[in-house]
């Protein structure tokens, strides 16, 4: 029979088959909230009734500015379940970017956590078409007077029945909308269908991907506003796994406490989160009682990070995704082909972003679009296609594909086993005297130095070579490491002409709204570094 793949069926299944399994949330109020999939389903149905009663139609967009928590989960399912679109917004963006996104998406209802009240106050005057502002709290926490009329979520849904018949519609209808982080130009919207999210939930749960089951307790540290917390609210419901939502407290101390208390077995987040956790566990000597797997994605997982996590009893799973791919594309899962390799060689393979999961196809192409061999050496533009890859941005007339493939903006190699490794973002690659230098590889080497905690390598304008690499690094607090010492560390690790021309030590590196290195800001600040050095050396003060 043909049964459309609809997100409502995932939660319905969890309520029927894992009805007593817990969803635990650390709330913005600071306390821990517990209920079950059956409760979540009942309240998602209550929300569906409330939305329908206030005239929300299929296709309408409902914005959310919220951390990972049970009410956000109800919005995911309640909104999408009636055929409307849950538009998750990254609260770490600037207010005018948030207003741009709300207006571009045409949100007429916006639901937000109480911790974003001040942000909403700034954004609301710029978004006149939003008719309903709903604060995710009960009436006692809702301010009596505010710039725009507000109501509490509990009042909004309260009084509506907890029974609802989920409508059946075309699985290709939109369910969720998410905007790219917009580090270059305006953010672009990516619309996910019920079909694409359901298929990704199935594929990501498979053994060679995240290997999820009802025995897991899954803690998505990656926010629900960062590409649907990488699909975990869907794959957790699909498998009936316990769900542990960390809310706004993403510091290592709070995460460790939650992981330990809820006996978390599986988690996911960007490298900065895991660097902090590994450092905390190293300093305090604390260990979780339960073995844990942590997906490291959004940026490269260095072998050092994988080792630090392993020393803490956590298995790193390196994965690569992007907003345009819902986001999951590859997972570096252990495979027979390298299980018996010596530790160093295995670490080199584990540093790769991994093989395409079922449902995704990848290739690398050269300058003229010709497919490059899978030899682990030939680097080219990474192209993707598959069931959960976009074909155009939200509201765009133009298709984003080239010959049926999405250009990812990454430069990568694929080896004989199909294992992909990103060597750079095409816009970050350093072109020195016409040759390519991988900024990621140079950063990886800096991070191998025991006194370096963060590193970014950027292309700087150079009078002779067009561009040369500059390393910008953060030392450990007590370190006295000098630039020449760090540069000497590159000796024998890369070709001589790859070694950065200089090092600038800083106290911290700028991160984007999704926790990645903000190289654009670094380029703006340092792109003239070598030009200025040449200039200075010519002045009498030299
Ligand atoms: P976003 O759409 O903001 O999630 O960014 C997607 C981009 O993040 C990708 O195109 C990659 O450049 C980068 N990225 C994601 N995962 C990884 C990874 N595991 N290693 C290196 N880069 C990654």
């Amino acid at each position: 029979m043909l049964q459309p793949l609809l997100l409502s069926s995932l939660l319905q299944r969890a309520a029927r088959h894992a009805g007593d399994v817990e969803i635990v949330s650390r709330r913005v109020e600071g306390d821990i909230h517990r209920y079950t999939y059956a409760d979540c389903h009942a309240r998602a149905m209550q929300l569906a009734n409330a939305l329908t009663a206030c005239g929300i139609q299929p296709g309408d967009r409902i914005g959310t500015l919220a951390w990972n928590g049970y009410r956000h989960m109800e919005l995911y399912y309640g909104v999408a379940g009636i055929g409307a679109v849950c538009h998750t917004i990254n609260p770490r963006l600037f207010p005018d970017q948030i207003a741009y996104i709300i207006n571009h998406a045409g949100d007429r209802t916006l639901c937000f956590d109480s911790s974003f009240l001040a942000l909403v106050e700034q954004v609301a005057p710029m978004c006149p078409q939003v008719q309903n502002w709903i604060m995710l709290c009960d009436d006692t926490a809702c301010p009596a007077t505010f710039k725009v009329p507000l109501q509490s979520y509990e009042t909004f849904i309260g009084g509506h029945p907890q029974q609802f018949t989920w409508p059946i519609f075309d699985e290709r209808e939109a369910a969720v909308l998410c905007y790219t982080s917009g580090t270059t130009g305006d953010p672009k919207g990516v619309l996910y269908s019920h079909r694409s999210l359901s298929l990704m939930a199935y594929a990501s749960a498979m053994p060679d991907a995240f290997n999820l089951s009802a025995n897991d307790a899954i803690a998505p540290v990656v926010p629900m506003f960062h590409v649907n917390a990488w699909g975990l609210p869907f794959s957790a419901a699909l498998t009936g796994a316990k769900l542990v939502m960390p809310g706004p407290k993403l510091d290592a101390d709070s995460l460790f406490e939650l992981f330990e208390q809820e006996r978390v077995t599986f988690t996911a987040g960007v490298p900065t989160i895991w660097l902090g956790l590994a450092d905390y566990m190293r300093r305090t000597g604390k260990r979780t009682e339960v073995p844990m797997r942590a997906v490291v994605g959004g940026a490269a997982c260095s072998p050092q990070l994988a080792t630090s996590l392993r020393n803490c009893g956590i298995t790193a799973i390196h994965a690569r995704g992007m907003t345009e791919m819902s986001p999951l594309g590859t997972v570096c899962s252990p495979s027979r082909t390298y299980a018996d390799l010596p530790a160093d060689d295995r670490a080199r393979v584990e540093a790769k972003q991994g093989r395409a999961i079922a449902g995704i196809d990848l290739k690398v192409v050269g300058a003229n679009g010709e497919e490059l061999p899978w030899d682990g050496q030939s680097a080219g533009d990474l192209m993707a296609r598959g069931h959960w890859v976009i074909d155009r941005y939200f509201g765009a007339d133009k298709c984003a594909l080239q010959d049926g493939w999405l250009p990812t903006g990454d430069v990568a190699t694929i080896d004989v086993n199909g294992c992909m490794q990103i060597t750079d973002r095409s816009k970050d690659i350093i072109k020195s005297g016409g040759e390519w230098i991988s900024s990621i590889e140079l950063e990886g080497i800096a991070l191998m130095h025991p006194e370096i905690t963060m590193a970014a390598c950027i292309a700087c304008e150079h009078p002779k070579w067009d561009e040369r690499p500059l390393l910008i690094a953060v030392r450990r607090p007590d370190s006295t490491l000098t630039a020449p010492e760090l540069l000497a560390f590159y000796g024998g690790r890369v070709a001589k002409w790859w070694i950065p021309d200089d090092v600038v030590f800083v106290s911290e590196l700028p991160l984007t709204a999704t926790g990645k290195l903000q190289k654009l800001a670094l380029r703006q600040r340092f792109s003239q570094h070598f030009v200025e050095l040449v200039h200075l050396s010519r002045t009498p003060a030299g």
Side-chain angles (χ1 to χ4, degrees):
M1 68 178 77
L2 177 67
Q3 194 177 12
L5 294 162
L6 298 177
L7 294 181
S8 53
S9 68
L10 298 182
L11 188 59
Q12 201 165 28
R13 178 190 152 78
R16 277 168 73 79
H17 296 271
D20 59 348
V21 174
E22 276 186 318
I23 298 175
V24 180
S25 310
R26 180 175 266 146
R27 305 201 302 173
V28 287
E29 294 87 332
D31 58 345
I32 297 280
H33 174 274
R34 288 173 192 280
Y35 73 176
T36 63
Y37 275 113
D39 299 328
C40 180
H41 185 227
R43 279 173 51 96
M45 290 194 287
Q46 196 173 15
L47 171 64
N49 279 314
L51 292 169
T52 309
C54 91
I56 300 296
Q57 298 291 322
D60 284 353
R61 271 81 65 195
I62 305 218
T64 66
L65 275 168
W67 295 108
N68 295 6
Y70 66 103
R71 290 187 180 117
H72 208 173
M73 178 88 171
E74 292 161 14
L75 283 160
Y76 263 42
Y77 283 98
V79 170
I82 62 164
V85 180
C86 181
H87 170 208
T88 57
I89 305 164
N90 187 338
R92 295 179 182 139
L93 296 171
F94 293 115
D96 51 351
Q97 273 179 316
I98 293 179
Y100 169 88
I101 288 174
I102 292 172
N103 292 330
H104 189 268
D107 298 336
R108 295 233 295 279
T109 298
L110 208 122
C111 305
F112 62 97
D113 271 340
S114 55
S115 50
F116 300 126
L117 195 62
L119 179 61
V120 166
E121 199 162 15
Q122 280 178 279
V123 166
M126 293 185 264
C127 304
Q129 90 285 9
V130 177
Q131 290 156 355
N132 305 313
W133 296 91
I134 298 175
M135 192 155 120
L136 298 171
C137 60
D138 59 27
D139 255 359
T140 54
C142 216
T145 56
F146 193 62
K147 207 167 215 147
V148 286
L150 272 192
Q151 58 182 319
S152 80
Y153 177 79
E154 296 303 332
T155 304
F156 180 68
I157 67 169
H160 290 281
Q162 295 198 328
Q163 282 304 323
F164 185 81
T165 306
W166 297 111
I168 304 294
F169 45 84
D170 191 327
E171 64 189 23
R172 290 168 300 179
E173 291 297 332
V176 178
L177 175 62
C178 183
Y179 278 68
T180 58
S181 30
T183 41
T184 48
D186 283 329
K188 293 196 270 277
V190 175
L191 207 51
Y192 308 110
S193 70
H194 286 259
R195 172 187 160 81
S196 68
L197 292 173
S198 302
L199 287 174
M200 199 191 80
Y202 278 95
S204 65
M206 295 214 315
D208 285 332
F210 290 168
N211 191 16
L212 301 178
S213 85
N215 295 323
D216 278 312
I218 300 176
V221 175
V222 51
M224 289 170 80
F225 53 75
H226 185 192
V227 210
N228 323 311
W230 302 347
L232 292 171
F234 305 125
S235 44
L238 174 82
T239 50
K242 175 177 172 178
L243 200 46
V244 181
M245 303 289 215
K249 290 189 123 187
L250 304 182
D251 61 285
D253 197 346
S254 308
L255 286 179
F256 181 84
E257 184 192 272
L258 191 66
F259 290 169
E260 185 63 350
Q261 182 180 300
E262 301 304 326
R263 302 181 72 77
V264 167
T265 59
F266 184 91
T267 176
V270 292
T272 27
I273 293 283
W274 306 132
L275 280 168
L277 184 73
D279 190 49
Y280 169 84
M281 290 173 76
R282 184 185 57 81
R283 278 188 288 109
T284 58
K286 290 185 180 172
R287 295 290 176 267
T288 54
E289 249 180 54
V290 185
M292 218 168 63
R293 290 117 67 209
V295 174
V296 186
C301 172
S302 65
Q304 296 67 43
L305 176 57
T307 307
S308 312
L309 288 172
R310 190 176 310 121
N311 292 341
C312 300
I314 302 171
T315 307
I317 303 171
H318 195 184
R320 181 231 174 248
M322 70 192 294
T323 310
E324 292 85 340
M325 289 175 67
S326 310
L328 195 58
T330 64
V331 178
C332 194
S333 55
S335 118
R336 270 171 306 157
T337 43
Y338 65 86
D340 299 330
L341 290 178
D344 276 2
D345 292 345
R346 215 173 50 231
R348 256 192 295 282
V349 182
E350 282 167 0
K352 297 191 178 197
Q353 279 72 17
R355 286 172 298 162
I357 62 170
I360 293 290
D361 195 9
L362 297 177
K363 67 173 179 178
V364 281
V365 299
N368 301 317
E370 75 286 9
E371 183 165 0
L372 299 179
W374 289 20
D375 57 8
Q377 301 291 326
S378 308
D381 291 316
L382 180 69
M383 314 288 282
R385 64 180 179 192
H387 300 302
W388 46 92
V389 181
I390 61 157
D391 63 356
R392 74 189 58 224
Y393 290 96
F394 175 62
D397 301 327
K398 226 175 96 218
C399 176
L401 307 183
Q402 287 172 13
D403 295 331
W405 294 76
L406 179 78
T408 64
D410 289 331
V411 179
T413 59
I414 303 180
D415 72 16
V416 68
N417 297 313
C419 202
M420 184 273 289
Q421 180 160 36
I422 295 180
T423 55
D424 229 321
R425 285 293 289 166
S426 48
K427 62 182 180 343
D428 292 340
I429 209 152
I430 302 156
K431 291 175 195 119
S432 172
E435 300 285 344
W436 284 10
I437 298 177
S438 158
S439 66
I440 291 184
E441 195 164 336
L442 296 181
E443 286 156 12
I445 293 172
L447 289 172
M448 282 161 64
H449 195 288
E451 292 182 44
I452 295 297
T453 56
M454 285 180 89
C457 200
I458 58 162
C460 290
E461 210 177 302
H462 192 278
K464 181 168 176 195
W465 301 107
D466 291 337
E467 289 180 359
R468 286 297 298 156
L470 171 72
L471 185 72
I472 304 157
V474 181
R475 285 175 288 202
R476 282 201 187 284
D478 49 349
S479 167
T480 53
L481 184 73
T482 63
E485 283 165 351
L486 182 53
L487 292 177
F489 186 69
Y490 279 87
R493 290 188 160 91
V494 279
K496 262 206 178 120
W497 60 275
W498 272 46
I499 299 178
D501 281 13
D502 200 5
V503 182
V504 175
F505 290 113
V506 290
S507 55
E508 57 181 15
L509 287 173
L511 298 178
T512 67
T514 47
K516 302 176 191 202
L517 284 174
Q518 202 170 23
K519 290 203 178 169
L520 187 64
L522 291 173
R523 277 196 289 267
Q524 279 164 351
R525 187 164 153 210
F526 291 108
S527 68
Q528 298 301 303
H529 183 79
F530 298 127
V531 178
E532 282 161 12
L533 279 187
V534 170
H535 175 72
L536 282 178
S537 69
R538 285 199 190 123
T539 61

